[in-house]
Amino acid sequence: MGYRNLQECVKDLEAGGKLLRINHEVDAELEAGAIQRRVYQAGGPALLFTNVRGCRFPILGNLFGTLERTRYIFRDTLKDMERLVAMKVNPRAAVKDPLGFVGTLPAAIHLLPKKVSSGPVMEMQTTIDQLPQLKSWPDDGGAFITLPQVYSESAATPGLRHSNLGMYRVQLSGGKYRPNGEIGLHYQIHRGIGVHHAEALERRLPFRVNIFVGGAPSMTVAAVMPLPEGMPEISFAGLLGGHRLEMACRNGELPMAAEADFCITGIVDTDRALPEGPFGDHLGYYSLAHDFPVVRVEKVYHRRDAIWPFTTVGRPPQEDTSFGSFIHEITGPLIPTVIPGVRAVHAVDAAGVHPLLLALGSERYVPYAGEREPQELLTIANAILGQGQLSLAKYLFIGAQEDNPALDIHDIPAFLRHVLERVDWRRDLHFQTSTTIDTLDYSGSGLNSGSKVVIAAAGNKRRELPSILPGDFSLPSGFAAPRVCLPGILAIRGPRCTTGPNCPDPVVEDFCRQFGQSHPLISFPLVVIVDDSEFTARTLNNFLWVTFTKSNPASDTYGIGATDVSKHWGCTGPLIIDARTKEYHAPPLIPDPAIERKVDALGAPGGVLHGII
């Protein structure tokens, strides 16, 4: 069955040629992360660094660096997962084919954690400063745990059954933390640990957390799974891992994952918070320093043969892209069972996941009508935006499957083309103008604050989308270099933006007033104003990243022929999105050139990465 610990996994991957052991000395500050990112981009192996400067623990990177390797790691349990998902989607499937589901019930026993009195994780102790001090980007505020598994329990109903295991980043050094005595705990909105924290504060009880690092690979995946309420992540880890997860339970302490490599125990300080960050994050920018909870460290346990797994995050795709793809393979078929009418949902990784969500739904409210228009789609969109982490979506494009049953939601150009051919900007824009957005998204009005828009399109094609520019295309002063990104989508370089959050830019408003109905720009339903139109249009990923990470729907959406009827905003001409960099945005992630040259040398003939990068 599946791996019980990280050591079994490393041994098997190395024997199969899927892991490279690097004995060359590597610095945990910037160098290890740069190597991991480069090997990931090359589709290379997992990396075991055995000689980390100033640290006695080996570190493991790129473990989940390819979807194929991730599937391989969980090859023994994927069939059981597929059968259980099929039973949830269609319970009659097991009745029709009982032999095909005969292995499902024995696998279900793995959902139950197994209580034990001790485990390898409790063999030895150390201090925070002796752990690998990994720093991924030049302006990171210190060393971070990048693959933590933070375990907490409900103060109202304590126990394994009401536990939460989440991947909330942990800052080990820097800032104002007391060395070896305090660490930072950053968790975003809409995370399970927040409920537990609130319960502990309400009852004036100590809020204890255990932070695991390593252990069975299924623990790492479970910590990022968007599971429904009531299903603890440690149960899912057992199911995916193919064995009951052993939890070491002692009186007066939170349970510890017995096979974890490390466990930091501590109590969240209820009296204060400290600045955590900056940290290079998965939108491709730094998340800045903000006050977040502080953990008072009690003990740091580790097993004798401990390995420290890590990753680096940055502008996607990165290693966490494989997480997302793997999770979608497992959970994708379940989405229609959770939200009626939904056919498929795609959180677009290249846009930073939460900024852009695509969805296919049904439009069945008035099947007798002569022409479809968004009605049921709007009900479905509201349900999507009220569902778990999907609620963090900033742009939600939704189309009706009836208009094109063969449409593949993962074919992003085709999906956008389908919507833009049908959308009516006077009717089909639906804003939430002052609401919560992703904690890591700095395009809004403040931390956790911004807006959302639903773009719903249904019915027959309304227009043909242009793919080329006419030779006589002209633009107002200050705007230049028009580039076609996709059919119907035009990027234009604009002047530097100087306005603040929630402030309309008079320069863009004036731009929208300059076009008559005969101008060729009018034939493009979507126009994006950017800092660098050539870069934006160069690749699909560039367009997605620039457009949806650098704009806040309510304040950065303009239109030619704008209308405001009964508080419903729309436009008769093209929709204009201002995706320029604003002065209040977080800075982008830029690698250290000296470190990149060191990595280049490792890939040269004779280097340990020659033939890989």
Side-chain angles (χ1 to χ4, degrees), residues 60 177 408 566:
L60 175 67
Y177 302 114
D408 179 1
S566 299

Side-chain angles (χ1 to χ4, degrees), residues 254-318:
L254 283 182
M256 284 185 261
E259 291 285 352
D261 288 78
F262 298 84
C263 177
I264 303 170
T265 69
I267 299 175
V268 177
D269 198 323
T270 58
D271 299 326
R272 66 194 178 116
L274 287 176
E276 183 271 356
F279 180 75
D281 229 312
H282 73 263
L283 268 70
Y285 310 94
Y286 286 97
S287 57
L288 305 179
H290 299 281
D291 285 352
F292 277 96
V294 178
V295 178
R296 299 197 305 270
V297 176
E298 293 181 319
K299 294 182 180 179
V300 183
Y301 294 97
H302 69 91
R303 56 190 299 152
R304 291 183 184 275
D305 54 354
I307 299 170
W308 184 273
F310 77 97
T311 189
T312 56
V313 290
R315 180 191 161 184
Q318 298 288 346

Side-chain angles (χ1 to χ4, degrees), residues 89-208:
V89 173
N90 180 14
R92 290 180 294 179
V95 177
K96 292 180 179 179
D97 182 20
L99 293 180
F101 289 81
V102 70
T104 302
L105 292 180
I109 197 68
H110 300 149
L111 288 163
L112 301 175
K114 182 179 180 180
K115 293 183 179 181
V116 296
S117 59
S118 63
V121 71
M122 303 164 70
E123 290 175 331
M124 304 187 75
Q125 293 189 37
T126 187
T127 54
I128 293 294
D129 62 350
Q130 296 301 302
L131 299 175
Q133 302 293 301
L134 281 147
K135 184 177 175 182
S136 301
W137 296 96
D139 292 331
D140 281 355
F144 286 81
I145 307 176
T146 53
L147 288 177
Q149 308 155 26
V150 182
Y151 178 89
S152 62
E153 291 184 357
S154 166
T157 52
L160 294 168
R161 185 177 176 185
H162 300 283
S163 64
N164 178 76
L165 188 74
M167 191 167 286
Y168 315 120
R169 77 175 186 240
V170 175
Q171 184 169 347
L172 297 177
S173 67
K176 299 180 180 179
Y177 302 114
R178 181 165 50 87
N180 288 327
E182 296 174 336
I183 56 178
L185 176 62
H186 176 290
Y187 63 83
Q188 298 158 250
I189 61 172
H190 212 293
R191 297 301 194 268
I193 191 174
V195 176
H196 288 175
H197 196 172
E199 289 177 347
L201 290 173
E202 181 181 357
R203 288 163 175 77
R204 298 183 179 180
L205 295 173
F207 182 45
R208 293 187 173 274

Side-chain angles (χ1 to χ4, degrees), residues 564-583:
D564 190 345
V565 179
S566 299
K567 299 183 176 64
H568 182 91
W569 186 92
C571 55
T572 59
L575 189 74
I576 312 294
I577 296 178
D578 179 6
R580 295 171 297 167
T581 300
K582 282 75 173 181
E583 293 180 349

